[in-house]
Amino acid sequence: MEKEEPLSQLTGKTWDDSAVRCRKVPQNIPVVSKDKNSPTHGHVSEDDTQPSNGSYTQDSASHHHYVSPSKVLLVLVVGLSFSTRLYKIKEPPHVCWDETHFGKMGSYYINRTFFFDVHPPLGKMLIGLAGYMTGYNGTFPFIKPGDKYEHHNYWGMRGFCAVLGSFLPVFAYLIVLELSHSHTAALITATLLIFDTGCITITQYILLDPILMFFIMAAVLSMVKFKQQRYRPFAASWWLWLVLTGMSLAGALGVKFVGLFVILLVGLNTAADLWRILGDLSLSLVDFGKHFLARVLGLILLPLFLYVTIFTVHFAVLNKSGPGDGFFSSAFQSRLIGNNLHNASMPEYLAYGSTITMKNLRIAGGYLHSHWHLYPEGVGAKQQQITAYLHKDYNNLWLVHRPNKTQSGSPDLVRHGDLIRLEHKETTRNLHSHVHEAPLTKKHHQVTGYGINGTGDANDLWQVEVCGGHKGDLVKVLRSKVRLRHRATGCVLFSSGKILPKWGWEQEEVTCSPYIKETPSSQWNIEDHFNPKLPNISISILKPNFLEVLVESHIVMIRGNSGLKPKNSEMNSKPWHWPINYQGLRFSGVNDTEYRVYLLGNPVVWWTHLFSLALYLLMVSVASLAIQRGLPLAAKRVEHARVLKSGGGLLLLGWLLHYVPFYTMSRILYYHHYFPAMLFNSMLTGITLDILLKSADLLLRPPYCDWLFRFGLMVLLLAVLYSFYLFHPLSYGMMGPLSHEPGSSMAGLKWLASWEF
Amino acid sequence: MLQLPLVVTAHIDVLLLVLSALSLWTRLSHLSSPRAVVFDEVYYGQFVSLYMKRVFFVDDSGPVLGHMILALGAYLGGFDGNFAWNRIGAEYPSGVCVWSLRLIPAICGALCVPLGYLLTLELHCSHLSALGAAVLLLLENSLIVQSRFMLLESVLIFFLLLALYSYLRFHNGVHSPTLRYAWLLLCGVCCGAAVGVKYTGVFSYLLLLGVASLHTWNLIGDRTVSHVSHRMFQRINKVLTNQRRADSCVCMCVQLSVCVQCVCRAVCLLLVPVLLYVFWFYIHLSLLKHSGPHDQLMSPAFQSSLQGGLSRITRGQPMEVAYGSQVTLRSSASQPMPCWLNSHRANYPIRYENGRGSSHQQQVACSPSKDVNNWWIIKDPHRRGLTVDRPPRPVRHGDVIQLVHGTTSRLLNSHDVAAPISPQAQEVSGFVDFNVSMTAQDLWRLDIANREAESESWKSISSEIRLIHVNTSAGLKLSGSALPAWGFHLMEVVAEKHFRADAVSFFWTVEEHRYWTTEGPAGADGGSQLEDKQTHRSVSFWTKFTELQRKMLTVKQEETEHKYSSTPLEWITMETNIAYWMDKSSNAQIHLIGNPVSWGVANLSLLAYHIIVSVYLVRRRRGFRDLTEAAWQHFVCVGCVCVGGWMMNVLPFLLMEKTLFLYHYLPALTHLHLLTPALLEHTHNHLLSSLTHQRALRVCAAVALLLILCSYWFFSPLTYGCPELSANQLQVLRWRNSWDFLLRRQ
């Protein structure tokens, strides 16, 4: 009695499921076999209506569970959604917030200039394409927020984002309809999204978020549709939705890495689906293998192929040197037209007296760098900092000297095993190391800049070693992997990749590692090489193949992403702020004379979301308890419980996957990161409130409970509309005094002191 | 009633006794050698000393019970707290009873071995498996090292194992409900204790909660149990009246209704641990009465509840700030160093290093030291005088005031000039009239943030205030940057227009407060005639608890890498060791290093379990029942406890950004050692059908045990710190290149 174990729970659950599923089968079809999922003809004709083609059969019309989208409602949703998003799309006619980044990157695509960004390229490519198609020529510099666009054609890019953003309420409507088979639930969801000021604002500007959310919602919609096709596997529509799911996943991941969360959601769902098919003993293992392979093809290989294609296009389009070069290896840079390594010409072998830059060979390794700043008190010896820096800069230049100061006339070549002294050109300090703990990697020694005008001490001597070389080998520029071994302590110059704190200008740490290992972190190559006394020779570098480029750019992106640490300002937003709509983001304008746009969710909508989240948990636990205890329930309640558990469960999982991971992230976070999660939350709200209102008959007798249902619905819709009327200036722009002053258009609406409008 | 003859029947598990004895011997022998501070003893020791002196401290690394347990050992050994814990390797003076400091962790560590034995039995494994599990724990060098010093992991592991054991006793129990729920209560107590020792105990607690809620869920689904039963009471009455039916207890435990059982479980597993956790803090706060080194981290209200320190200064000072009051203003944002609003006879440089100009008026900054320049006088802008009326006129929320600097008589001023370090904010200065058409803008509106009424008066210590500049509506703020040498490296103070309601850097508190009335001084220097004089402030326990808890969770110590720190993935393969101690003159040394053979065995069995369970799952899904239902349940249960416990204790660390050490892995390792014998038993009974194979397995297990014994013996010089090893012997022991052993140069 007391010894129930997980499995009995599991089996119990499948039985419940089957019971529910049996109930779905219409009365006139006798349930013949025990296997519920076998694609018998009866099931196919009964259960599958094709909402997309709009024609529904007599059977399904009589069957109240399956509802195809009502055309009137759908048209209404589409119309409202597009009109709210496209209204005042050109306002304000200046750069707002992150448009300065993404607009600029769109321009880079039009100009074909290489740049570096922490996000994958699809979103910016689409923005660039939209701009290109609408006659923007890529000349606007997007220097800082607030710059006037003047004659430049910016509306095309904004309009593109807004159009994609307008699909969100439509997709949400269709998803909820599919999951709950209830027009009311779908309508509630669509209303909440259409009239949410936050959702409007974030989709009206040149940002990645509308594109990302479009793909996320498209992926969820096609996944849900695909699930509905399960009674006719391998049919054309089955394949269609599978392929659409895969394409949307690739799109989501191609815009931002946040797309991984929706991939996880689809992945978990697919795994559960496969597990169900595996348990269906009427299917042979070969059938299971087919199902499995189809999903591998549609949900793994196809997205992967598309994702790689995106990068192929990215690298093919961007072929000119630009601001992002320094983040990449020397070999990579040689691909870019205009880079000094493109068809480079320089002295071939390293010589004494040369001016050089050294780049670390780990992926996304920086240039050996120094500047006029000392290590602070308490961090080793208080000498000049040596760092690794990702940008090209004159502070990356070093002079190669012999150990003793005498400069011989003719430039001798440096050989493997030679002792050299590296002098920082700008500050005339020598590269120096000694037995002190390095600032971050405590197991390594500190590296400093020491001495004046090139005179230092014995700790400034480094032995040049070419990896795989022998004594006397020459050091090839660009092609040799060089290791610098400290003469006195025997450690090697090492770039740990860790970011120094503020005192080190957030550049990367350089240490001297006593552990001699063949790692790229301790290998450097000589990238620039100037020596007036030697002839320049054209050097062709081994061009990297596409796979190497792909891997390298990903590692650079991931590094860049984790490098975005919050600064010590109070502006950083915490994940718990988001669902309670604690604080928004200023998109444009600060003072009362400026045109102000403030990204903030409609508080009535957002707090309804929060409330329904709690309500959902309560309702689903009551329902599960009732079922687990075996209480006799009416068929309607069982259906409600099923919708809550499976449909709501899917949405709750989506919400959790798009929200919880932010708690573990150490990078800087913004309010707008919550919007994908908010979409899931609003769909959950639709389902929850619908079922809550439909359960009114628990309280009242039949005629009155319908009245209560309608009344509740009206109150909800009116409240949303009225609050939208109140808060719409947040999205469509405010002028005049700030809200805490009387006479403002938002007077009295600053409900939380933390809102800044 | 007594039944005669009086017979006592005792079942003694000799195996258990022998194991306990061996375990005590391995953990307790030569406990006081080395007589020197070993590794983190240097860290925990300072808190033990503070307990002995009953001085308040804040430790953000863990909750309070662990420190208290260590302090108890010290207290019993008569340690007086007079030892400077300044470095690892320092010799203990002769007066310190070293073994008493280390006794409690060692005993807890020793008890883990018999607990492992009992736990394996409770998992329905054979005595042989239980013996195996106990031997694995017994011969684990890392567990031995960690138990033998004044460290907390062994205490944590002890509570975790005891919690699991008592839960399984409850779950498997066929006793009367009273006894079963006594076990559950013990489980709750252990959970509370484990979380109280180290926050990492939460992971295992969550696992236990998960298992318990699954069991409860199944109980709810059990339709033979009534919802809310009246029959239960009838049964109890029947039992009480009818003593003969002793076996009716079994019947009754079925009849306990679902509601009652659920409530009991919730109380034991949720309420009891939470209450206990709070209770540890209650003891902590009632023990530590005196002010100490960490006072400054706490709010003035908290500080004034401690004896000595701030309370000595603030005792007897007037409560309500009045016009004419002399105050020091402490910034609420200055963590970890406190600082007070300060001005001094030096002006801002006319030009800064980067070429920007300043107002050249007197500097205002935030000073981390208490000095006479921190005093400010509250002035009514409409009056000339600086004295306090009789009766004093309190300053209220919304009042406009001026602040006069005590030693220089400059007025606190702000204007539209960029601040020295943060140019986006306004400069704050002591106003000097240079006759350059810069008029004084020295009016400030008082904004009491934690007011209860709109006309609330300004109270010293308790009111958190903002000063809003009247002309520009900017708030006085601690910017967080330090001024350069011309500003004596004080903290920069600015005025900023856009502030959030909760931005703590805008908050200031009056700390010291005194005033002179027209008749003479009042406040700290005497002035007993004032009625609102505050006597001893009492702060409720809840206020103190929440503040302390928040401080412990939010105070961030600087994240630096330690020489011996490691990452979770390195633990699994034991990539790094930790040097704990080295003798001053010889090569004798102690390292935290596990038994390599048993780690390997544990990892193998972890892998094997995963493979076996996935094969079983897929085959079951396809309708092949390889195991009987009972055997399958048993197999899943073993997995939940051992593999689940391992995962819960490893995976969260992967997401953490803290500096981590090998000893964080020990709770997970303990779970893993319980898995190996159970898995072997399962393989032996269910997977191997032929007798030869079974025999081969037995031989393999025996050989593995022998190897484990050997490697324990091999590494024991590094575990116990004796005998001394030569350089060559150390080289032989260095099985991995990444291990760091120390060598003294001859």
Side-chain angles (χ1 to χ4, degrees), chain B residues 278-294:
Chain B
V278 177
F279 178 65
W280 309 137
F281 275 86
Y282 182 76
I283 301 179
H284 178 77
L285 285 174
S286 38
L287 277 180
L288 304 181
K289 289 264 179 249
H290 300 282
S291 74
H294 296 163

Side-chain angles (χ1 to χ4, degrees), chain A residues 1-2 4-5 7 9 275 278-279 281 283 440 442-443 498 570 582-583 627-629 666 753, chain B residues 171 180 217-218 220-225 227 258 500 502-503 505 561 563 620-622 633 657:
Chain A
M1 195 58 49
E2 298 287 315
E4 298 88 352
E5 288 287 346
L7 193 95
Q9 148 69 6
W275 187 247
L278 185 67
L281 297 182
L283 293 177
L440 301 178
K442 302 285 184 191
K443 298 173 191 181
K498 292 173 190 158
E570 289 174 20
Y582 178 77
Q583 192 184 27
I627 290 174
Q628 179 81 0
R629 265 323 270 172
S666 58
Chain B
H171 181 64
R180 286 186 66 206
W217 186 245
N218 288 339
I220 291 171
D222 184 351
R223 285 158 204 180
T224 58
V225 188
H227 304 307
V258 168
R500 293 213 322 253
D502 63 332
S505 56
E561 192 174 301
K563 184 157 190 259
R620 280 177 72 83
R621 193 69 187 163
R622 293 302 296 177
Q633 297 289 357
E657 303 224 321

